[in-house]
Amino acid sequence: MGGREWSAETKAAQALGWVEETSGAVVMPVHPATTYLRDPDNLYRRGREYARADNPSFDQPEALLAALEQGEDALVFSSGMAAATACFLALRPGDHVVAAEVMYWGLRAWLGGYAREWGLEVDFVDMRDLSALKARLRPGQTRLVWIETPGNPLWHVTDIAEAARLAHDAGARLAVDSTVATPVFTRPLTLGADIVMHSATKYLNGHSDVLAGALIAKAKDEYWQRIETLRVKLGSVIGPFEAFLLTRGMRTLFPRVRTASASAMKIAHAMQKHPKVAEVLYPGLAESPGHEIAAQQMAGGFGGMLSIRVRGGEQAAVAAAARVKLWKRATSLGGVESLIEHRGSIEGAGSPCPQDLLRLSVGIEAADDLIADLSAALAEV
Ligand code: PLP
């Protein structure tokens, strides 16, 4: 492109513009092989050995993810949980980590249970208030700080640059679950983070038909090598067909996420006026406590996720979710179809999620249809 650096949007649309050289195909082939030929002298000069280590089908989504997040390297995993847990298992027993109180419940439960049994010391803090993080850091023992912003399902916002500064001052790394922000709105590595994690099952794929995860690193250091080795040894690799679908999904990442985010803002404003809604949780709202920081670190939108608290408590919230016709009552997020979920039914004991909360994952349908459907369902309870 005549020396011009392509924008992230252009890189995504063309999946970096890769063309298969022998045929000229503008879509890269899927490689189902699990094993690769040795050279006659027994070496593997082509660099591939066995599919648990890697597969040519990973190359394009990993290169694209590294480009979108402006990292040195990326790895795709069999799920978001596989990607996230690799970051903790690459530490050593006795290491200390500080994680957000408000984050994807499955990872919080794993950290509070398995990770502690395995030997990590884990503290949870409210990451909206970084003096709480500062107080918990143990210089020389804290190895990893884990944040999710905006954080599930209350959409707490954490100041990435400040969290990175505090983590680094204590000799720790900062990892950011950026599943909800997506590289369309936030690039944590450019703000000082060391690792970005995505449940690629969500916006990156975008069609609710692939389970995948991704990590992107600022630097290919010794810690990153341990993560890479873990993926091989645990076999937490994505399949070649899923890698293909993930790449295809990422080609439309920008228009999907921008549409969802614009609709989420409209829905948030409409829900603020609904008599059955006690509170709308969305960092895009000017009165939201995290709005100012979100506006600084989310360029161009606040994402497609919001929550509403329904007047009348748990029963009313469940009843409203039962009455929608267009929204799908299902877990997960980030697909082209809009989802509604009573989160309290999912998150276990100790969850900070109130029982009157409905989580909304906004898809790419017409916003007015989504507002009409949800408003009618709420009016009936
Ligand atoms: N992080 C966030 C923010 C999520 O919403 C999820 C899944 O719901 C995960 C991580 C885990 O990802 P996966 O379900 O792909 O393992």
Side-chain angles (χ1 to χ4, degrees):
M1 294 255 299
R4 179 187 159 91
E5 168 79 11
W6 295 358
S7 65
E9 188 172 356
T10 298
K11 287 176 184 167
Q14 293 209 358
L16 298 176
W18 287 21
V19 169
E20 201 276 308
E21 287 195 359
T22 51
S23 66
V26 299
V27 174
M28 297 299 281
V30 177
H31 290 270
T34 54
T35 191
Y36 301 88
L37 202 63
R38 276 185 193 270
D39 296 327
D41 59 1
N42 226 24
L43 296 178
Y44 281 110
R45 283 194 189 74
R46 278 167 286 207
R48 316 272 180 192
E49 203 171 315
Y50 185 59
R52 182 154 42 72
D54 74 327
N55 182 294
S57 307
F58 305 166
D59 296 354
Q60 195 177 18
E62 291 181 343
L64 179 55
L65 281 162
L68 294 182
E69 291 287 6
Q70 295 176 244
E72 203 179 331
D73 202 13
L75 290 169
V76 288
F77 286 80
S78 51
S79 68
M81 277 299 280
T85 53
C87 295
F88 295 97
L89 296 173
L91 302 173
R92 291 182 169 81
D95 285 348
H96 176 240
V97 306
V98 187
E101 233 165 45
V102 169
M103 65 149 118
Y104 169 59
W105 75 276
L107 183 61
R108 194 183 59 236
W110 184 85
L111 283 170
Y114 183 91
R116 280 181 174 146
E117 284 167 25
W118 184 74
L120 288 181
E121 292 191 34
V122 185
D123 274 324
F124 294 99
V125 303
D126 182 343
M127 292 285 183
R128 289 173 300 179
D129 169 16
L130 291 178
S131 62
L133 168 63
K134 194 173 178 191
R136 290 298 179 90
L137 288 167
R138 302 180 199 164
Q141 196 200 349
T142 308
R143 297 292 173 208
L144 189 64
V145 174
W146 185 275
I147 62 173
E148 178 181 316
T149 182
N152 251 297
L154 306 176
W155 316 116
H156 286 180
V157 175
T158 301
D159 183 336
I160 298 172
E162 183 59 8
R165 194 182 64 74
L166 292 173
H168 294 163
D169 282 354
R173 290 182 172 81
L174 178 73
V176 181
D177 181 339
S178 198
T179 298
V180 169
T182 82
V184 175
F185 296 134
T186 306
R187 306 215 174 115
L189 300 182
T190 67
L191 298 170
D194 302 283
I195 299 278
V196 175
M197 177 257 157
H198 288 278
S199 167
T201 315
K202 319 299 184 195
Y203 290 102
L204 295 180
N205 169 261
H207 294 77
S208 308
D209 55 8
V210 166
L211 196 67
L215 295 176
I216 303 95
K218 181 151 73 185
K220 285 165 83 165
D221 55 13
E222 181 259 338
Y223 174 63
W224 184 247
Q225 276 160 18
R226 282 171 70 83
I227 290 175
E228 208 168 357
T229 304
L230 264 172
R231 186 181 72 161
V232 179
K233 299 302 172 200
L234 299 179
S236 45
V237 281
I238 193 172
F241 294 100
E242 284 73 17
F244 163 77
L245 282 172
L246 174 57
T247 305
R248 188 169 73 170
M250 284 197 286
R251 288 179 160 225
T252 56
L253 178 70
F254 280 74
R256 280 188 289 101
V257 168
R258 284 188 183 139
T259 300
S261 177
S263 296
M265 184 69 103
K266 271 187 161 183
I267 294 166
H269 284 302
M271 287 302 112
Q272 277 187 312
K273 292 188 206 109
H274 199 290
K276 296 284 173 61
V277 174
E279 192 182 1
V280 180
L281 308 176
Y282 185 57
L285 295 173
E287 55 274 43
S288 161
H291 179 73
E292 210 176 303
I293 294 165
Q296 281 165 26
Q297 66 188 25
M298 299 184 81
F302 297 90
M305 295 301 300
L306 71 154
S307 296
I308 55 173
R309 298 188 65 182
V310 181
R311 285 193 205 284
E314 179 176 359
Q315 267 193 332
V318 172
R323 282 172 169 76
V324 290
K325 297 190 172 71
L326 180 59
W327 294 77
K328 296 284 172 283
R329 255 182 323 281
T331 197
S332 200
L333 58 97
V336 288
E337 65 286 297
S338 294
L339 306 180
I340 186 166
E341 184 177 38
H342 178 250
R343 251 345 253 182
S345 308
I346 289 264
E347 304 207 0
S351 162
C353 177
Q355 288 298 321
D356 59 3
L357 182 142
L358 291 175
R359 189 179 80 171
L360 307 174
S361 170
V362 180
I364 63 166
E365 307 92 335
D368 290 344
D369 290 341
L370 293 169
I371 292 169
D373 186 46
L374 186 56
S375 300
L378 284 162
E380 283 173 28
V381 300

